[in-house]
């Protein structure tokens, strides 16, 4: 099976690379202690079972028996301990270190037992252990994870092992006979590195790749219009893993005024954005959680499009058009600001144009600027030098969003760059982290989402669908798509003999 | 500028073609509000990426906006940037070139070394670097292109001045006691005007191209305002499917640049004593 991605991984040690390009390869090579099943509940992967102590501070994992690395060496709790030590090591400088640094003590009473103790109960703990890919101690001990050759020739325990890596061209994974979860069906996974999206699509049309992610225009306009593509490809649609928002710089006037933020929220027609930008392939959201999941508060509704209410709120906040030029003023200064977003993201640029038009209608003069990603982050986001931004956040599986909304997370480079500071939200986020009872935790996050919606530090714009095309020769794909996504259980996918590609066509 | 030169230029069929092309594009851009069937920024969610038809002569873009109307307004941007940028660069070029060519000595050395330094930097990268520090807008683009493309004119004016300085009428005027100012503005400059005009016309072509390039990269004209460059960017994504988004702006840029080049070269041929038409 041949797929494609736009960026080449910098390293195949995920805790070092911290990028999606790396994750898409390493998830086939390494295992974690736990994983999410198809309904997004946690189950054991390397772990056979896990126990949480009464005081909720200690978790004891028991590994499955007879685990082996791809090179035949045994996989034991010492490897897990080694991985934990590596991820919290300041020299590793892993972007994920903070979750694991909360572990006060980690120990391995025997070869199959791994025990961690926290200072206080930490609810996202299990989620964090599902995210940590266990590395082999016998190959990495004493090495610098940033410079080790292991990053280019990894040895894991999962369905595949690295076969070949042609830099700038492709990465080939071959079936790992020692896979701890049993063998995968498809013998070879080739991921071709094609930076340009249009070029990827050309390869899909030429039948040189078997799957790729699509944008709404390709999904609903181009492929249906071409019978030869329609005959060859299955299209999959699932709720995506991220949402787009309009974020205010709360340290800048007038965005510190909740009436202004609400007014802008009412003035934006979100349905129009979904129809125009996503061709209807997206949904409205009212909280930063995936609709339909436990953490999403079903009672919350997005702000409806209501320009009259927006105008009234602005008037209340002191904005009136005194000179009759169609633009509102306060203290004889016109209400004008700049929306910035990263260039190259067509959806966000188009969204900005829709917003610009709607805000003009209520008397706000908006300019748009799209900026190249690296300078966008370093020059504007990290320095806080912006008024309003259009960006996206992931819809994570664990509800903890401390990093994004807690007032302590405002230093340059941290994620609360909009400067949100709400003591009641801070309190809820802290409670949510220490509450392990799922039902109580759910109530906390429902309340958190409600406060957030009323306070409107960001305008939730939309959550687009994830759209994928996969060649019909790939069979065994779960349909309808489970909550865990179209790629769930891909080791069970198979290609019937007559439909297989010849060896030569993979290059 | 003399009328005779124009007559001679337009006798050349290619130059005439260039002149007509530019005239047409100028008219279309100037009267864009009259010709355009739609508001160029009117979004229509129901008609996204429609192929050219009698309703939309050049189809619609990814937001359902009429490409023909956007092309007309984009033409305004392209031409405005071209003309103003060249105006700025020509003004700077004339002043510096005149100073260098007239006073010579250390003034000349200083200005010419400055020209050499500027020419040693690839101009597109220089412009990219400057734009990165500024807010992208039409005005900034015009200024930056103007400030980075005066070197050719400077050299030209200097060379003209150097040679004119030795001519009898200038010497005569000088012996009669004419001041520097009078010499420069009544004798030297009027006599070097024609090559300046040729170089400006050619300069407009490259400024149009530069603006399209910058807008294509997202550093030029900002949304929702249309420019040929950013219509082309929108088209890149769907070049297979929505060919009209790439074809029309691409063609317009090509034809405009061709028009200016034809006219510029026609003017140059008409001026050149060695060219056939001058016998």
């Amino acid at each position: 099976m041949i797929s494609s991605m736009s960026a080449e991984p910098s390293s195949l040690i995920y805790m070092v690379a911290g990028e999606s390009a790396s994750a898409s390869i390493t998830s086939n090579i390494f295992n974690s202690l736990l994983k999410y099943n198809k309904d997004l509940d946690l189950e054991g992967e390397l772990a056979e079972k896990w126990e949480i102590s009464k005081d909720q501070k200690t978790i004891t994992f028991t590994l499955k028996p007879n685990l082996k690395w791809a090179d035949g060496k045994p996989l034991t709790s010492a490897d897990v301990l080694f991985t934990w030590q590596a991820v919290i090591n300041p020299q590793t400088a892993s972007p994920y270190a903070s979750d694991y640094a909360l572990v006060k003590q980690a120990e391995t009473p025997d070869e199959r037992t791994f025990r961690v103790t926290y200072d206080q109960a930490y609810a996202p703990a299990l989620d964090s252990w599902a995210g940590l890919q266990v590395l082999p101690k016998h190959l990495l001990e004493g090495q610098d994870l940033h410079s080790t050759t292991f990053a280019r020739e990894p040895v894991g325990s999962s369905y595949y092992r690295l076969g070949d890596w042609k830099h700038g061209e492709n990465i080939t994974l071959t079936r790992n006979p020692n896979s701890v979860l049993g063998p995968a069906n498809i013998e070879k996974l080739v991921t071709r590195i094609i930076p340009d999206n249009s070029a990827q699509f050309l390869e899909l049309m030429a039948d040189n790749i078997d799957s790729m992610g699509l944008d709404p225009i390709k999904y609903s306009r181009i492929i249906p219009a071409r019978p030869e593509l329609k005959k060859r490809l299955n299209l999959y649609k699932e709720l995506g893993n991220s949402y787009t928002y309009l974020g205010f710089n709360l340290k800048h006037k007038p965005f510190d005024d909740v009436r202004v933020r609400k007014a802008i929220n009412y003035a934006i027609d979100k349905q129009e954005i979904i129809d125009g930008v996503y061709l209807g392939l997206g949904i409205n959201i009212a909280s930063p959680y995936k609709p339909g999941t436990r953490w999403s508060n079903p009672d919350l509704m997005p702000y409806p499009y209501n320009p009259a209410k927006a105008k009234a709120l602005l008037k209340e906040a002191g904005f009136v058009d005194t000179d009759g030029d169609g633009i509102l003023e306060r203290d004889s200064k016109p209400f004008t600001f700049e929306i910035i977003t990263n260039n190259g993201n067509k959806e966000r640029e188009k969204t900005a144009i829709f917003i610009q038009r709607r805000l003009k209608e209520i008397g706000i003069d908006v300019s748009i600027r799209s900026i190249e990603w690296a300078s966008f982050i370093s020059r504007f986001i990290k320095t806080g030098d912006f008024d309003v931004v259009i960006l996206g956040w992931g819809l994570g599986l664990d509800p903890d969003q401390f990093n994004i909304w807690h007032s302590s997370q405002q230093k340059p480079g941290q994620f609360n760059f909009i400067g949100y500071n709400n003591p009641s939200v801070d309190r809820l986020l802290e409670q949510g982290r220490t509450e392990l009872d799922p039902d109580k935790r759910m109530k906390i996050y429902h309340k958190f989402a409600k406060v957030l919606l009323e306070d409107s530090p960001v305008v939730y714009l939309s959550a687009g669908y994830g759209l994928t095309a996969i060649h019909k020769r790939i069979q065994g794909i779960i349909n309808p798509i489970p909550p865990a996504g179209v790629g769930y259980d891909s080791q069970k996918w198979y290609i019937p003999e007559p439909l297989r590609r010849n060896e030569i066509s993979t290059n | 500028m003399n009328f005779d030169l124009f007559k001679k230029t337009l006798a050349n069929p290619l130059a005439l073609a260039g002149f007509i092309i530019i005239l047409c594009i100028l008219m279309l851009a100037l009267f864009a509000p009259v010709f355009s069937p739609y508001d160029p920024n009117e979004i229509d969610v129901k008609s996204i990426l429609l192929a050219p038809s009698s309703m939309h002569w050049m189809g619609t873009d990814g937001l359902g906006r009429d490409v023909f109307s956007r092309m007309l307004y984009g033409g305004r941007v392209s031409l405005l940037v071209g003309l103003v940028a060249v105006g700025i660069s020509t003004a700077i070029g004339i002043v510096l070139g005149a100073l260098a060519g007239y006073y010579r000595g250390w003034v000349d050395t200083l200005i010419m070394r400055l020209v050499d330094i500027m020419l040693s930097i690839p101009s597109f990268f220089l412009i990219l670097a400057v734009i990165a520090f500024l807010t992208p807008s039409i005005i900034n683009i015009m200024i930056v292109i103007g400030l980075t493309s005066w070197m050719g004119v400077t050299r030209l004016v200097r060379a003209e001045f150097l040679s004119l300085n030795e001519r009898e009428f200038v010497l005569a005027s000088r012996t009669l006691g004419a001041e520097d100012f009078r010499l420069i503005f009544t004798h030297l400059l009027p006599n070097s005007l024609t090559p300046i005009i040729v170089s400006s016309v050619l300069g407009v072509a490259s400024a149009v191209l530069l603006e399209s390039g910058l807008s294509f990269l997202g550093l030029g004209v900002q949304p929702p305002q249309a420019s040929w460059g950013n219509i082309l960017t929108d088209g890149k994504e769907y070049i297979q499917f929505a060919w009209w988004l790439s074809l029309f702006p691409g063609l317009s840029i090509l034809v405009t640049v061709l028009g200016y080049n034809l006219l510029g070269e026609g003017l140059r041929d008409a001026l050149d004593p060695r060219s056939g038409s001058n016998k």
Side-chain angles (χ1 to χ4, degrees), chain A residues 202 205 221 276 354 356 369, chain B residues 43 48-49 63 136 222 224 240:
Chain A
L202 281 178
M205 295 205 307
R221 299 286 291 273
F354 277 103
Q356 180 184 45
R369 187 168 171 197
Chain B
I43 297 168
I48 287 173
L49 288 181
L63 288 171
Q222 294 296 297
Q240 302 273 315

Side-chain angles (χ1 to χ4, degrees), chain A residues 45-47 63-69 72-76 157 178 180-181:
Chain A
E45 189 168 61
L46 290 175
L63 301 189
K64 290 176 182 165
N66 302 322
L67 297 175
K68 279 200 172 62
W69 292 104
K73 297 266 178 359
L75 191 166
T76 68
S157 53
N178 287 338
V180 298
L181 303 169

Side-chain angles (χ1 to χ4, degrees), chain A residues 98 137 151 273 279 324 371 373 403:
Chain A
S98 64
K137 182 182 178 186
I273 293 172
L279 303 179
I371 301 154
W373 179 255
N403 294 341

Side-chain angles (χ1 to χ4, degrees), chain A residues 28 159-160 184-186 189 486-494:
Chain A
N28 281 311
Y159 298 109
Y160 290 91
N185 282 329
I186 296 177
L189 299 181
V486 65
Y488 182 75
D489 259 2
S490 60
Q491 79 281 358
K492 289 187 187 153
W493 296 359
Y494 61 95

Side-chain angles (χ1 to χ4, degrees), chain A residues 133-399:
Chain A
Q133 294 175 347
V134 177
L135 300 172
K137 182 182 178 186
H138 67 282
L139 293 174
L140 279 168
E141 196 161 29
Q143 299 209 35
D144 174 8
L145 293 187
H146 287 277
S147 58
T148 175
T149 54
F150 184 89
R152 307 232 160 244
E153 44 189 28
V155 174
S157 53
S158 193
Y159 298 109
Y160 290 91
R161 54 200 291 179
L162 185 69
D164 186 27
W165 184 349
K166 286 204 190 86
H167 288 284
E169 281 183 42
N170 59 51
I171 298 176
T172 305
L173 301 181
T174 51
R175 192 152 56 187
N176 170 15
N178 287 338
S179 164
V180 298
L181 303 169
N185 282 329
I186 296 177
E187 201 180 311
K188 219 180 202 183
L189 299 181
V190 180
T191 305
R192 293 184 48 194
I193 297 144
I194 308 173
D196 185 59
N197 195 279
S198 331
Q200 272 186 26
F201 191 62
L202 281 178
E203 291 288 42
L204 183 77
M205 295 205 307
D207 199 16
N208 288 333
I209 55 178
D210 292 320
S211 77
M212 89 173 260
L214 301 175
D215 61 47
I217 290 190
K218 293 196 178 84
Y219 179 91
S220 65
R221 299 286 291 273
I222 302 182
I223 292 181
R226 294 184 176 230
E228 82 279 6
L229 288 181
K230 230 170 80 184
K231 218 161 63 194
R232 204 166 68 212
L233 299 168
N234 277 322
L235 298 182
Y236 296 89
K237 179 178 99 174
E238 60 191 314
L239 193 54
N241 290 320
S242 64
Y243 67 93
T244 307
Y245 65 89
L246 181 87
F248 302 105
N249 188 335
L250 302 168
K251 290 177 179 156
H252 284 194
K253 278 191 188 311
F255 307 114
D256 54 343
D257 186 335
V258 63
R259 291 169 299 192
V260 173
R261 299 198 297 266
K262 279 189 169 175
I264 291 175
N265 210 335
Y266 278 119
I268 296 173
D269 184 350
K270 287 121 200 152
Q271 192 54 45
E272 159 190 85
I273 293 172
I274 289 170
D275 291 340
V277 178
Y278 298 93
L279 303 179
L281 296 165
I283 51 165
N284 278 313
I285 54 168
S287 79
Y289 300 111
K290 232 179 198 183
T293 62
R294 160 200 289 274
W295 311 115
S296 163
N297 184 341
D299 302 332
L300 301 180
M301 296 307 284
Y303 285 66
Y305 173 57
N306 188 342
K309 200 157 180 177
K311 276 187 200 155
L313 279 164
L314 285 175
K315 196 170 177 190
E316 216 181 297
F319 284 98
V320 195
D321 183 11
T322 42
D323 55 10
D325 63 351
I327 303 297
L328 302 173
E329 288 93 20
R330 185 166 75 174
D331 307 329
S332 67
K333 269 206 300 224
F335 194 175
T336 159
F337 63 83
E338 184 180 71
I339 297 181
I340 62 169
T341 187
N342 60 308
N343 72 7
N345 189 322
K346 283 278 155 231
E347 273 87 32
R348 289 180 194 163
E349 286 175 19
K350 285 185 193 170
T351 302
I353 295 173
F354 277 103
I355 293 172
Q356 180 184 45
R357 177 176 70 149
R358 288 299 176 200
L359 293 186
K360 180 120 205 184
E361 284 171 3
I362 61 160
I364 305 175
D365 185 22
V366 174
S367 57
I368 300 169
R369 187 168 171 197
S370 60
I371 301 154
E372 184 272 327
W373 179 255
S375 74
F376 176 72
I377 294 297
S378 60
R379 163 81 182 75
F380 297 94
I381 298 299
K382 283 192 180 165
T383 56
D385 183 14
F386 66 92
D387 286 329
V388 174
V389 60
I390 295 181
L391 265 179
W393 280 126
L395 294 159
L397 296 179
D398 190 89

Side-chain angles (χ1 to χ4, degrees), chain B residues 256-276:
Chain B
T256 309
V257 171
L258 185 72
Y260 278 105
N261 277 332
L262 287 177
L263 182 65
E265 277 174 21
L267 277 167
R268 195 177 54 198
D269 287 348
L271 277 170
D272 189 347
R274 277 157 303 190
S275 76

